Amino acid sequence: MYSANGGPATKKQERKLALVFKHTSSNQHVAGIESLAYSQDTQSLYTACRDSIVKRWNVEAGQPKCVANYEGHTDWVNDVLLFQDKLVTCSSDRTVRIWQSNKQAGCLHNFQHHSDYVTCLAASTAAGRLVSAGLRGEVITYDMQTLQAYLLMPQPSNSSDQGGSTASSHDSGDAAAGSSGGAGAPSAAAPMRSVYALAANKAGTLVAAGTTEAYIRLVDPRSGQKVMKLKGHTDNVRCLLLNKEGTLLLSGSSDQTVRLWDLGQQRCTQTLNVHTDSVWCLAAAPDFSVIYSGGRDKALYVTHLAQRKAWLLAREQQPIRSIALAPGTSRLWVATTSSTVSGYDIPMGYGYVAWEQQQQQQLQLQQQGQQLTQHRLEQQQPPQPWSNGSAVADASQQAAAPLGPTADASNQAALAVTAAAAITAGNSVAPAVAASPVSSSAAAASVAASLGPRALGVSASGRHVFGLSSSMRLKHSQDHAAAHGEVALLTIPAVSIQGAPGLVALRVLADKRHILTQDTAGDVALWDVLAGRPVQQLGQVDIAEVERQLFQPLYFESWFTADVKLGALAVNLESPKCFAAEIYAMDLGAQDVPDDQKLNLGACLLRNALSKWAHGFSTLFLSGALLPGLDDPGAEQLPHFSNELPPAVMSTDASGCPWRLSCTSFTGREREGEDLPHWACAAVLRGVLPFVKELKAAFVLQPAEGSGLPSLLQSRLSAPRILQVMKVCIVLFMSDQGLNSRCHGLLVSWVQTENE
């Protein structure tokens, strides 16, 4: 059983606690979508987001609707997949989690075996095996029956490259790319680094891993034995797709190419160069006759291997991170680095016919061909060409018919089967006869009319993407796009799942209570940290200029840190630093309180975040005892969180497992010290704060310029940092009545010093 090796023993640090504030509806993502997964019944689409949340959408008909949220990760969710009736996710919080896919519930199981970010997943449902990979080259396989984990990669150094073979690209036109001495090719002796792509066959006998070494490593997960290493890419391998038989492999890379590998021959049989930047995601027909690809160039391409042509299907506004093809339909979902997911309906003739339909149509073609042959023999007449209305074409016409918008279903099925047979045999397919420009334009116009606003562009005729060397193919691709102004077949999606603008910048104001944030749309908002919500929307303004306008000559100790890496405002608390700042109760809106009554800012925020847990805990275990701070008179006058958009709490349990839970989802049964940090529970339940040495500031009183007043004998003074200038003057006035006449002529200068 695998467990990550720990480093040398270090002093245990206090666990941190973070609050994530929401600025939009819970039914919207607020950051880039990293991965998509489709249910087998095509009714549900799962979206894994950088905001640490996975959502399930009902996409069966009409506008998609969010029906479930899966909250538990504390960092980006990098991949998601379905394993039978379970949902599996992996995250940059170093965990792999298992959920019940058909309902909104808590995490069923959590794997914590990775020592760094977990980037990708793969599964073999027939074998009951799950695989995860991430940074530091770690590839781990899990037995889903026993929930045990085993390390596949990296292997011990003394077994490097033993028991496996190395394959490289040597198909026509790829000699330069496959040469080990080519530019950008990594050293064979270099240690394996991060893994960004995984694929596994249905039987669970083969796992492919794409690495930052530009290699594709294949391993038998049953024994851990290395099978082969595929060379050909010259940059990071970012996506992999393996057919269910484990005979064909598709790979996309940062070298801008997509490669098709025949694993039986251990060679690259096709190289596609349609993109002008990194290829990040792939989808394909079951027989790999039609390939969909997207990446950093924001372009979504559909490529027909049989016809050796590619079409620009759509162009997004942001780089494409993931694509998902609905089983048995023409709906293709596209996720980008924005928070919106787009659904495109592939035009007739550009997609693929479902596998079952292909088999059925091929059987019908064979039967009709046999009947035709029998009929000709009976009539003893030479073969005659079929009429225009015939449903079956001559075999030679079927082989030459283009797999494009002018081809009928019979031609598509016959050509797809021909392509599959040629690919399986490892042979290249001869270019098909291209349709005439007139017929292609007419077909494009016809499809455009049927699609309405989703018009087809001038790229409907497609372009060749094979042959030539790698550099020549790239130049040809770029020259074609520049010369012809390549227009996408679809200009707008058929349906979309709208996200909300995520936060990308922040400024903490001098009072250490208010924060300015700016989202991807450029809108600036002013937040009250204690209330957990924006108190003012400032519109599209310069955030730096607003910060200057709101500046106040105040000093508060920095008691929290803030970030927007999840697309939302997160405030991080760490003991004892989070209890270092105080404020007068009157300044928080409290009435009928002494002028000198002070409140701890960190304690106030913790009480707001854990109030439901504290009251539930008190009812269950403390006989409903009153809680200091929460049940004090006038506590309702202080800032509190909104019930409509409650923040989420993130922390780790005693074992180091990260968790995330909405403020309103606590039950009171969460254990003090086990689930929640001791210091946070003590502050909320008992009002006990960690000892913080009283923070003071040294200052001097100097005569105002031009006043002619003499300097004070005791010019260097000290006071708690919470004191304001007026209160300093009042204290001095009370101690020396004669000073009152001189206070108006003094300029107070604060000099920050070390804690006394």
Side-chain angles (χ1 to χ4, degrees):
M1 184 172 173
Y2 170 70
S3 62
N5 294 326
T10 57
K11 183 179 179 180
K12 188 175 181 179
Q13 296 182 348
E14 287 283 3
R15 288 144 55 190
K16 299 179 182 180
L17 187 142
L19 299 177
V20 181
F21 300 133
K22 299 179 180 179
H23 61 278
T24 184
S25 166
S26 60
N27 292 334
Q28 290 181 301
H29 283 300
V30 295
I33 310 298
E34 286 293 298
S35 182
L36 301 173
Y38 231 120
S39 62
Q40 288 298 321
D41 58 8
T42 71
Q43 295 182 1
S44 299
L45 178 70
Y46 297 84
T47 55
C49 185
R50 295 178 180 179
D51 61 11
S52 80
I53 300 175
V54 178
K55 295 181 182 292
R56 176 163 62 94
W57 306 84
N58 186 341
V59 295
E60 186 177 9
Q63 180 62 30
K65 180 181 179 181
C66 181
V67 294
N69 291 307
Y70 303 88
E71 296 190 47
H73 287 294
T74 60
D75 210 331
W76 290 15
V77 183
N78 297 317
D79 203 359
V80 58
L81 60 79
L82 287 168
F83 189 98
Q84 299 173 353
D85 63 338
K86 301 297 188 292
L87 182 72
V88 185
T89 59
C90 68
S91 169
S92 295
D93 64 10
R94 306 181 183 184
T95 66
V96 176
R97 294 177 182 263
I98 302 176
W99 318 75
Q100 191 66 42
S101 64
N102 55 3
K103 62 181 180 181
Q104 180 169 324
C107 177
L108 300 177
H109 191 76
N110 180 31
F111 294 109
Q112 294 178 259
H113 300 296
H114 282 271
S115 61
D116 213 323
Y117 294 173
V118 191
T119 57
C120 49
L121 297 168
S124 301
T125 54
R129 182 173 287 110
L130 174 71
V131 187
S132 66
L135 305 189
R136 302 189 183 182
E138 295 173 338
V139 179
I140 302 172
T141 180
Y142 310 87
D143 187 324
M144 295 297 284
Q145 296 295 327
T146 62
L147 298 180
Q148 289 186 331
Y150 303 90
L151 179 66
L152 282 182
M153 298 181 188
Q155 295 287 353
S157 58
N158 57 2
S159 63
S160 176
D161 291 331
Q162 293 181 3
S165 57
T166 301
S168 62
S169 294
H170 50 80
D171 59 321
S172 60
D174 290 330
S179 173
S180 61
S187 171
M192 187 178 71
R193 295 181 290 271
S194 301
V195 176
Y196 285 102
L198 273 180
N201 66 337
K202 185 176 181 180
T205 60
L206 197 62
V207 170
T211 72
T212 53
E213 298 173 295
Y215 301 149
I216 303 172
R217 298 177 182 266
L218 290 101
V219 181
D220 186 340
R222 299 167 298 180
S223 62
Q225 186 71 25
K226 294 182 179 180
V227 178
M228 68 183 76
K229 181 168 66 174
L230 303 177
K231 295 182 179 180
H233 287 295
T234 58
D235 208 333
N236 300 346
V237 179
R238 300 303 302 266
C239 49
L240 293 172
L241 196 61
L242 191 64
N243 68 344
K244 62 181 182 180
E245 294 83 8
T247 57
L248 299 176
L249 177 68
L250 276 173
S251 60
S253 168
S254 295
D255 64 10
Q256 308 173 2
T257 66
V258 177
R259 292 177 179 266
L260 176 64
W261 305 82
D262 187 317
L263 299 184
Q265 300 184 23
Q266 300 187 23
R267 64 188 294 266
C268 177
T269 60
Q270 300 281 11
T271 300
L272 286 65
N273 200 314
V274 296
H275 289 274
T276 58
D277 211 324
S278 299
V279 182
W280 286 350
C281 50
L282 292 168
D287 61 349
F288 281 16
S289 60
V290 181
I291 298 172
Y292 306 91
S293 57
R296 192 174 181 180
D297 59 1
K298 310 174 187 177
L300 176 65
Y301 280 96
V302 54
T303 304
H304 290 186
L305 293 184
Q307 196 179 358
R308 306 168 71 86
K309 281 190 176 182
W311 291 267
L312 177 60
L313 188 61
R315 188 176 294 278
E316 289 286 340
Q317 298 297 317
Q318 300 294 332
I320 298 175
R321 294 294 296 133
S322 180
I323 53 180
L325 187 63
T329 71
S330 61
R331 177 63 57 83
L332 184 69
W333 289 95
V334 179
T336 69
T337 54
S338 73
S339 56
T340 297
V341 182
S342 301
Y344 293 94
D345 288 335
I346 304 170
M348 181 65 67
Y350 290 94
Y352 76 97
V353 183
W355 180 251
E356 295 81 2
Q357 297 176 354
Q358 286 187 10
Q359 297 299 315
Q360 183 178 2
Q361 291 177 0
Q362 178 65 11
L363 181 60
Q364 292 176 356
L365 287 173
Q366 292 176 356
Q367 292 174 351
Q368 292 172 354
Q370 293 173 358
Q371 294 174 1
L372 171 61
T373 303
Q374 183 65 27
H375 177 72
R376 287 174 175 172
L377 291 175
E378 291 175 355
Q379 298 295 327
Q380 294 184 353
Q381 294 179 358
Q384 299 293 330
W386 286 90
S387 62
N388 293 335
S390 175
V392 183
D394 183 83
S396 61
Q397 294 175 348
Q398 293 177 21
L403 190 60
T406 60
D408 58 20
S410 300
N411 289 338
Q412 293 182 35
L415 189 53
V417 173
T418 302
I423 294 172
T424 304
N427 299 323
S428 60
V429 182
V433 178
S436 65
V438 177
S439 62
S440 298
S441 301
S446 175
V447 176
S450 64
L451 291 175
R454 300 193 302 278
L456 297 176
V458 298
S459 64
S461 60
R463 57 187 173 93
H464 292 281
V465 294
F466 302 96
L468 308 177
S469 66
S470 299
S471 59
M472 288 300 294
R473 277 196 303 273
L474 176 58
K475 184 178 186 300
H476 176 73
S477 175
Q478 295 173 335
D479 291 346
H480 185 283
H484 299 277
E486 198 168 15
V487 178
L489 297 175
L490 301 176
T491 56
I492 60 174
V495 65
S496 62
I497 301 174
Q498 292 295 328
L503 303 184
V504 294
L506 65 86
R507 298 285 194 279
V508 180
L509 300 186
D511 62 2
K512 300 301 187 293
R513 175 186 169 187
H514 292 92
I515 298 177
L516 289 172
T517 63
Q518 188 172 37
D519 61 25
T520 54
D523 292 321
V524 176
L526 178 65
W527 291 71
D528 184 346
V529 171
L530 298 183
R533 61 179 181 270
V535 294
Q536 187 177 1
Q537 298 291 342
L538 303 175
Q540 296 184 357
V541 296
D542 186 354
I543 188 173
E545 179 61 27
V546 175
E547 181 185 19
R548 286 191 292 269
Q549 293 175 1
L550 296 179
F551 173 78
Q552 293 178 296
L554 302 174
Y555 178 80
F556 281 85
E557 183 72 11
S558 294
W559 56 280
F560 66 85
T561 60
D563 64 71
V564 290
K565 69 176 182 179
L566 300 181
L569 178 61
V571 172
N572 307 292
L573 304 177
E574 183 178 5
S575 178
K577 182 180 179 181
C578 65
F579 301 108
E582 294 179 329
I583 191 171
Y584 288 104
M586 296 183 61
D587 293 338
L588 286 181
Q591 300 177 359
D592 301 326
V593 295
D595 293 346
D596 59 349
Q597 181 175 338
K598 296 180 289 186
L599 296 175
N600 189 282
L601 291 176
C604 289
L605 185 59
L606 283 173
R607 294 188 188 107
N608 281 344
L610 302 178
S611 60
K612 185 174 182 181
W613 170 81
H615 284 114
F617 188 90
S618 175
T619 301
L620 292 172
F621 304 108
L622 302 178
S623 302
L626 297 179
L627 303 175
L630 286 173
D631 298 326
D632 291 347
E636 67 280 356
Q637 301 175 3
L638 302 178
H640 58 277
F641 292 161
S642 168
N643 293 327
E644 298 178 357
L645 295 175
V649 181
M650 298 193 307
S651 187
T652 58
D653 61 19
S655 66
C657 178
W659 57 265
R660 170 179 172 141
L661 195 63
S662 172
C663 287
T664 57
S665 298
F666 286 102
T667 63
R669 297 187 180 277
E670 293 80 11
R671 298 164 296 177
E672 179 182 359
E674 292 293 326
D675 300 316
L676 289 165
H678 272 298
W679 57 269
C681 298
V684 175
L685 291 177
R686 296 176 286 276
V688 177
L689 307 183
F691 174 76
V692 180
K693 189 176 181 179
E694 186 177 9
L695 301 176
K696 295 184 178 181
F699 63 96
V700 295
L701 292 178
Q702 297 178 344
E705 186 177 354
S707 64
L709 295 175
S711 299
L712 298 178
L713 296 178
Q714 187 180 359
S715 60
R716 188 174 181 87
L717 307 171
S718 65
R721 287 176 175 152
I722 190 175
L723 290 181
Q724 300 173 355
V725 173
M726 183 57 66
K727 292 187 178 293
V728 174
C729 294
I730 292 175
V731 171
L732 292 176
F733 171 75
M734 294 176 64
S735 62
D736 184 2
Q737 293 290 339
L739 184 62
N740 185 38
S741 61
R742 291 185 289 166
C743 281
H744 297 286
L746 295 178
L747 174 67
V748 179
S749 301
W750 292 87
V751 181
Q752 183 65 40
T753 61
E754 297 180 356
N755 297 341
E756 297 181 353

